[in-house]
Amino acid sequence: MQQYLISQHYRHPLFGEVAIRVCPTSRRFSARWKGQMLTVNIPPRTTLASFQKILDQWTPELLAKRPRTRYTDGQTLTFPDFTILIRTSPRVEPQYINSKHLSTADSSFAIEVGPGVDFSNPSLEKHIAQHIRRIATFMASGTLPALADAEFRRLNITPPPRVTISHGLQRLGFCSPTQRRIALSLAVMFLSDELRRYIICHEIAHLTHPNHSAAFHALVDTYTDGREADLERQLRAFPWPIPR
């Protein structure tokens, strides 16, 4: 009797763990990388032999498109106010990960994993990213409100709005004109100083213009000395150290 694949995980010698997803309405195969994991969408009534055949045909192209490993042993992530060293350590048990403050003088941190780990493992990448977020959150509370206050003084914004730190990554900033409150994402900590100030100026402009009208963009351009378009291009091209 013919057996058909169901949605499951499949171990491949080159791709590692592959996620198979049966799409009830699909008639074609498709594949894409999600981080370091390959996901293959297959039609119903697909056999293991036909799945392996199509995967073999696609192997060269899929290997060429495989994303680079985001984190590596000995890698240092450098930001304006702090650094994070990612490394293996014999003091950490296998399958464990921890982070620690190395020096208060220069705000350096380390994320340590056990020896022999596979840095291409999607689960490890996810856990390292979680530790990076925690470190950024710790640093943000003492950095971003002070940077925002400096911009309020420079632009003569009175009374200055209240500044809070948000834990979301998709929205880098949020402004409530009625509450006179600005929220800055922890992800702003990864940006250069000028891009941080750009995000803050963007939110300050929302105190006057709640929407993204032409008048709003003109005000942002004034706040940024005519560099709004340039700074927005830099922001769109920024290489984020964690998935957003």
Side-chain angles (χ1 to χ4, degrees), residues 2-238:
Q2 188 76 275
Q3 291 187 335
Y4 302 111
L5 291 176
I6 61 173
S7 295
Q8 60 185 286
H9 281 200
Y10 169 83
R11 193 73 188 174
H12 188 273
L14 294 178
F15 303 130
E17 193 172 18
V18 176
I20 301 175
R21 298 285 182 264
V22 178
C23 300
T25 60
S26 177
R27 296 183 179 181
R28 303 192 318 176
F29 291 85
S30 64
R32 66 187 180 110
W33 290 100
K34 293 183 178 180
Q36 290 295 314
M37 178 174 287
L38 180 65
T39 298
V40 181
N41 298 316
I42 63 174
R45 300 173 63 84
T46 297
T47 65
L48 177 60
S50 59
F51 167 77
Q52 291 174 328
K53 180 180 179 180
I54 196 73
L55 207 56
D56 287 343
Q57 293 174 355
W58 289 354
T59 290
E61 181 180 355
L62 289 172
L63 287 175
K65 292 182 177 180
R66 186 173 195 164
R68 294 175 55 188
T69 301
R70 187 181 292 271
Y71 309 115
T72 57
D73 188 12
Q75 178 182 7
T76 298
L77 304 176
T78 303
F79 310 106
D81 312 283
F82 62 106
T83 61
I84 302 175
L85 171 64
I86 300 170
R87 65 187 180 189
T88 55
S89 171
R91 294 184 296 273
V92 180
E93 294 292 328
Q95 310 306 316
Y96 281 83
I97 179 172
N98 63 39
S99 54
K100 60 183 181 180
H101 205 161
L102 294 178
S103 170
T104 56
D106 59 0
S107 296
S108 58
F109 298 82
I111 296 175
E112 298 181 329
V113 297
V117 298
D118 178 8
F119 277 88
S120 67
N121 186 309
S123 178
L124 178 61
E125 178 180 304
K126 177 180 178 181
H127 283 93
I128 290 176
Q130 289 174 345
H131 280 261
I132 294 173
R133 287 184 65 167
R134 290 172 191 162
I135 294 170
T137 301
F138 172 77
M139 293 295 297
S141 60
T143 301
L144 296 183
L147 188 60
D149 283 342
E151 290 302 297
F152 299 154
R153 291 193 299 270
R154 181 179 72 86
L155 300 172
N156 195 28
I157 305 298
T158 56
R162 183 167 63 95
V163 177
T164 60
I165 307 301
S166 68
H167 298 281
L169 300 175
Q170 290 292 322
R171 298 182 69 175
L172 296 177
F174 169 79
C175 176
S176 173
T178 55
Q179 298 178 4
R180 206 157 180 84
R181 178 177 67 88
I182 288 176
L184 299 172
S185 166
L186 67 91
V188 176
M189 287 300 297
F190 303 132
L191 297 171
S192 65
D193 277 338
E194 69 173 0
L195 287 179
R196 291 176 180 179
R197 288 192 292 270
Y198 168 57
I199 297 297
I200 294 169
C201 288
H202 182 107
E203 300 309 325
I204 292 173
H206 277 310
L207 293 171
T208 304
H209 301 286
N211 52 27
H212 288 93
S213 63
F216 164 81
H217 287 292
L219 185 57
V220 176
D221 205 45
T222 299
Y223 285 166
T224 57
D225 298 323
R227 298 189 60 216
E228 186 202 17
D230 175 51
L231 292 168
E232 181 64 26
R233 280 192 294 270
Q234 290 186 43
L235 183 62
R236 291 182 183 278
F238 187 78

